[in-house]
Amino acid sequence: MRLIKRDQKEVVFKERIPMKEPDGTPYEEWSQDSLKIKGNLQPAGGKVMAEQYGERLGYIMVMYCEFTPESLKILEEYNSQKKGFGACVYAPHDSEPDYKIVAIRGWRHVVIELEKVI
């Protein structure tokens, strides 16, 4: 598959930072540092993804992007260091992410699966 430049959209990825209240209640915040990656966004579909995600399939988007230093950094940190990332797909880049990463795979392209944050 070829990634056409006109179909690519810039998505901002922010790292998830787990925090705790003084009483011990956990919550999460998003880092102010961000990575911008251009890629082709598509709604998820197909038999395999339907079996994998079930009823959540309507909230899943798939992003195909080239191998760049930014995409390789997210690929490595998500898979080896188990860091969580959020993505500003439709939200403004300076706000909280509206999607979170559920899977990243390095095939012919970097394939990032995103799930809507509800």
Side-chain angles (χ1 to χ4, degrees):
M1 171 179 19
R2 197 176 92 194
L3 299 177
I4 301 172
K5 296 284 184 198
R6 67 178 161 89
D7 293 340
Q8 293 183 4
K9 180 179 179 176
E10 187 173 75
V11 177
V12 174
F13 291 93
K14 297 179 181 182
E15 185 179 342
R16 181 178 60 90
I17 303 170
M19 306 287 282
K20 283 194 177 184
E21 294 280 342
D23 64 352
T25 307
Y27 68 100
E28 62 185 33
E29 285 191 359
W30 301 99
S31 172
Q32 296 301 319
D33 299 331
S34 61
L35 292 170
K36 295 180 182 180
I37 299 176
K38 285 191 170 196
N40 186 341
L41 280 164
Q42 300 174 0
K47 184 177 179 179
V48 173
M49 286 199 154
E51 290 176 6
Q52 183 177 3
Y53 292 112
E55 293 179 5
R56 295 177 15 207
L57 186 64
Y59 300 104
I60 305 289
M61 303 258 322
V62 179
M63 181 177 179
Y64 299 95
C65 52
E66 300 287 340
F67 283 98
T68 61
E70 293 85 9
S71 64
L72 289 174
K73 180 178 179 186
I74 286 185
L75 177 68
E76 178 189 338
E77 289 183 4
Y78 184 82
N79 288 331
S80 65
Q81 299 176 11
K82 303 296 183 198
K83 291 185 178 179
F85 287 92
C88 296
V89 176
Y90 299 114
H93 296 315
D94 56 352
S95 66
E96 290 202 4
D98 54 343
Y99 282 81
K100 66 179 180 178
I101 295 178
V102 291
I104 300 178
R105 296 175 182 90
W107 291 333
R108 177 178 250 168
H109 303 291
V110 176
V111 180
I112 303 173
E113 294 175 6
L114 304 165
E115 182 178 9
K116 178 84 172 151
V117 175
I118 299 175

